[in-house]
Amino acid sequence: MSLLVGGQILASSSGSSRPEFYQPINTSGATVQAGQLAAKDGAGTGIILAIATALATEAIGFAESDIGAGGSGVVRTDGTLDLADWTAATGAAALVPGSTYWLDAVTTGRMSTAAPAAAPGVIAQAVGKALSASTFSIEIQSPVVLA
């Protein structure tokens, strides 16, 4: 089942009201790499890289594959994502199985096994859990402002 809203393809194969993926335009000016976390751009019609330094850049999903600047690609908002190499998203090739991951407050598009430290404007946003070294369960939570 697919639904077209505002030029973006929203889809849900699970039957839930929350789409599992959508296909936005990358307006960041750089490639969003497979596994990196995306945020809505200022206009709300494209994506940029997410970072936990403000609510405006909260994570909405994971790039399923590389999305070149100005191109479109799949951003997964639910379900699982399997990647052989998670370096672009974590700084390491493998995930830590069983660990909960949080949107990073230092590097755009990244996630970490440690929640960010409290600072003005910083948000804590859990984004999911590693099922194995290569499989991630996407469970994006609402962000909480830390300070």
Side-chain angles (χ1 to χ4, degrees):
M1 170 190 206
S2 293
L3 174 66
L4 183 63
V5 176
Q8 297 176 10
I9 299 171
L10 302 178
S12 176
S13 61
S14 66
S16 75
S17 60
R18 181 177 174 180
E20 289 182 12
F21 62 89
Y22 76 110
Q23 193 166 357
I25 301 292
N26 174 3
T27 59
S28 71
T31 296
V32 175
Q33 296 177 322
Q36 285 189 308
L37 285 153
K40 288 183 181 178
D41 66 8
T45 57
I47 58 160
I48 58 174
L49 289 169
I51 190 164
T53 55
L55 280 172
T57 54
E58 71 179 89
I60 60 164
F62 290 80
E64 190 172 79
S65 60
D66 290 358
I67 305 171
S72 65
V74 173
V75 173
R76 296 199 60 82
T77 59
D78 204 358
T80 58
L81 183 59
D82 294 298
L83 294 175
D85 187 348
W86 283 90
T87 303
T90 66
L95 298 169
V96 179
S99 293
T100 296
Y101 280 80
W102 301 81
L103 178 60
D104 194 75
V106 177
T107 306
T108 57
R110 281 209 179 161
M111 61 182 178
S112 171
T113 56
V122 170
I123 61 171
Q125 185 180 24
V127 295
K129 188 174 185 175
L131 301 177
S132 71
S134 61
T135 304
F136 191 79
S137 176
I138 301 168
E139 302 166 9
I140 298 174
Q141 304 298 308
S142 296
V144 174
V145 178
L146 296 177

